[in-house]
Amino acid sequence: MKEPDRPSVGFWNSIRSGKFHSAFAFMREAQTAQQLAFIRSLMKDNRRPEILGIPLNELEVVVFDLETTGFHYQQGDGILSFGAVRVIGERVIEHETFYTIVNSGILVSPFITELTGITQPMVEAAPSLLEGLHDFMAFAGGSVLVAHAAAHDRGFLNAALWKTSKVRLNHRLLDTMMLAKRLYPEQADYSLDELLRSRDIPVEGRHHALSDACMTARLWTDYMKTIRTLGHAETLGDIYVYLSKG
C-alpha cells in the first residue's frame, strides 16, 4: 500500500512561524468586513415611497422576534436569539423561516435560561452577534418588518447594529400590538398571549424566538384580513393612515 503523502517541511515551518494563524485571522477579518459592508448597504435604502402603494394582499413582510439577556438594552442587555418567518399577503410561508442563537458576549442568567431554554454553553457555541445580524438581515432583505411590542425589538436591534456596524435600523417596522389597540380598543390586555387567545390562535413554545415569530405572523395575517374586510385599508400606505387615526 502506498504510504500517504506527508506534509512538506514548509508546511510545518508555516505552522511554527504562525503564518497559518495570520492567514486565518486575515480570512476572518475579510469576512467581517464583508458582513459590515452588507449591513451598511442594506440600511441605506429601505424606505422607498413606492412600497406604500403595494396592496395588502400582495405585501411581503418578515415577522420576527428576539430573545434577549434582559429587558434593558440601555443597561447592557443584549440579543440572545433571532427568529423570523416570511409572510406574503395573508399567507404565512411556513418553510421560509430563520432562527439563530448568537453570542453577544453577555452572560445568560438562570432566570433567562429558565424562560427561554437558552444556556450559557449554547451561547458560547453560537455565531457572533455580527454574524447573526448579518444572516438575519440577509433573510429580511428590504422587506417591511413586523413585531409584537416592536419598540422593544427596535431598541435591541438598534443597539446591536450600532455596536457592530455603527448604523441604525432603517426598515419600515409595524407593530401588531398597535394594530390590536386600533382594531380592538376595548381589549383589556394587549400582551401576545392574550391577543393570541382572543383570536383562537394556539399558544405554543412561548419565549422561543421562532415560535413567537410564527404566532405573531398568524396574528398579523388575522389583522390584515380583518382590516381589509372592514374596508379600513387596502395598501401599506393606508395602514399608516389607519394607525395615525388611533
Side-chain angles (χ1 to χ4, degrees):
M1 183 172 65
K2 181 182 176 182
E3 183 178 352
D5 293 336
R6 294 182 179 177
S8 68
V9 173
F11 173 86
W12 296 114
N13 286 339
S14 296
I15 292 290
R16 282 192 289 268
S17 68
K19 290 180 180 177
F20 268 66
H21 176 76
S22 297
F24 290 143
F26 175 78
M27 290 170 63
R28 285 195 298 270
E29 289 171 5
Q31 183 183 31
T32 297
Q34 290 175 343
Q35 291 167 341
L36 286 171
F38 173 80
I39 290 173
R40 289 169 178 167
S41 174
L42 188 61
M43 292 305 143
K44 287 181 180 178
D45 186 27
N46 268 311
R47 302 187 74 82
R48 304 182 311 278
E50 60 268 23
I51 199 174
L52 295 173
I54 295 178
L56 294 179
N57 60 356
E58 299 175 11
L59 179 66
E60 180 177 318
V61 303
V62 167
V63 184
F64 77 101
D65 181 71
L66 306 176
E67 295 302 328
T68 57
T69 62
F71 306 102
H72 306 288
Y73 65 89
Q74 307 95 325
Q75 298 174 21
D77 288 321
I79 297 173
L80 270 181
S81 63
F82 295 83
V85 60
R86 200 174 310 282
V87 177
I88 299 177
E90 296 163 13
R91 182 165 57 98
V92 179
I93 313 301
E94 295 181 356
H95 63 277
E96 291 195 35
T97 61
F98 174 84
Y99 179 74
T100 188
I101 297 172
V102 294
N103 187 346
S104 295
I106 303 167
L107 291 176
V108 183
S109 71
F111 170 75
I112 293 297
T113 292
E114 183 177 356
L115 183 69
T116 66
I118 298 173
T119 64
Q120 187 63 33
M122 291 166 67
V123 167
E124 291 172 357
S128 69
L129 176 60
L130 176 59
E131 288 179 81
L133 275 170
H134 170 273
D135 293 347
F136 169 68
M137 289 301 173
F139 178 81
S143 297
V144 173
L145 297 177
V146 174
H148 188 76
H152 169 87
D153 300 278
R154 182 195 293 274
F156 273 89
L157 268 181
N158 270 329
L161 285 166
W162 188 255
K163 178 180 178 180
T164 60
S165 315
K166 296 297 182 285
V167 294
R168 302 288 187 188
L169 187 70
N170 198 31
H171 289 62
R172 295 184 186 276
L173 176 59
L174 289 168
D175 188 346
T176 48
M177 186 171 71
M178 293 299 101
L179 283 168
K181 288 181 176 181
R182 185 74 176 87
L183 279 167
Y184 308 109
E186 74 286 352
Q187 182 97 15
D189 184 347
Y190 293 96
S191 68
L192 181 58
D193 297 86
E194 287 305 314
L195 290 175
L196 290 168
R197 292 189 185 101
S198 73
R199 309 311 298 166
D200 295 322
I201 299 170
V203 179
E204 300 173 341
R206 281 287 279 122
H207 302 296
H208 183 285
L210 181 54
S211 296
D212 284 357
C214 288
M215 290 185 289
T216 302
R218 292 189 62 185
L219 205 59
W220 165 263
T221 57
D222 183 280
Y223 292 167
M224 289 302 99
K225 183 176 181 179
T226 300
I227 285 170
R228 289 205 314 118
T229 300
L230 294 177
H232 294 318
E234 289 294 332
T235 67
L236 176 61
D238 294 340
I239 289 289
Y240 284 106
V241 173
Y242 177 64
L243 286 172
S244 71
K245 295 177 180 178

